[in-house]
Amino acid sequence: MKRVIVDYAKLTTDILDMLVEKYPSGYDYSDIISFKNSKGETIKTVEVRTDDTIYLVKISSKLEQTMEDYIEDEDSFDEDEDLDLTDLEDEG
């Protein structure tokens, strides 16, 4: 299964849909996945999955606001915007 880290600023409407569906009231501490990147920095994410990909969406102060804004006005998000993804190694 492919694993992808996504910054909140690079979210597609598909990933936002999955986030809003999985976390309709927002995420809490038990939903957060923490790990160290190659630079030794602690990264905090929340996870959403498709059939072939696990998306780890980086948590920032703006992620929840982005989710709320998306719920309020889906038409303001550009579906054609380029998405910069960082692939992780598959485990197993």
Side-chain angles (χ1 to χ4, degrees):
M1 183 168 281
K2 185 176 175 182
R3 296 171 191 270
V4 179
I5 299 174
V6 183
D7 188 77
Y8 86 93
K10 300 291 185 176
L11 292 176
T12 64
T13 54
D14 290 340
I15 297 172
L16 274 168
D17 283 337
M18 289 186 289
L19 280 169
V20 169
E21 183 177 325
K22 185 169 182 178
Y23 307 107
S25 299
Y27 50 85
D28 61 29
Y29 184 76
S30 64
D31 299 317
I32 297 173
I33 299 169
S34 296
F35 60 91
K36 298 245 184 222
N37 67 9
S38 60
K39 297 177 184 176
E41 302 165 327
T42 299
I43 305 297
K44 294 184 180 191
T45 64
V46 289
E47 177 185 281
V48 290
R49 294 177 179 236
T50 62
D51 292 336
D52 62 348
T53 305
I54 298 172
Y55 293 97
L56 297 176
V57 181
K58 290 182 185 180
I59 294 175
S60 71
S61 59
K62 295 184 179 181
L63 175 60
E64 194 163 330
Q65 186 62 49
T66 300
M67 289 171 64
E68 289 174 10
D69 292 347
Y70 180 69
I71 290 170
E72 292 174 9
D73 188 11
E74 291 181 28
D75 294 333
S76 69
F77 286 81
D78 184 4
E79 291 187 38
D80 297 327
E81 189 173 309
D82 290 336
L83 179 62
D84 181 21
L85 305 175
T86 305
D87 290 333
L88 295 178
E89 282 187 33
D90 290 347
E91 291 182 11

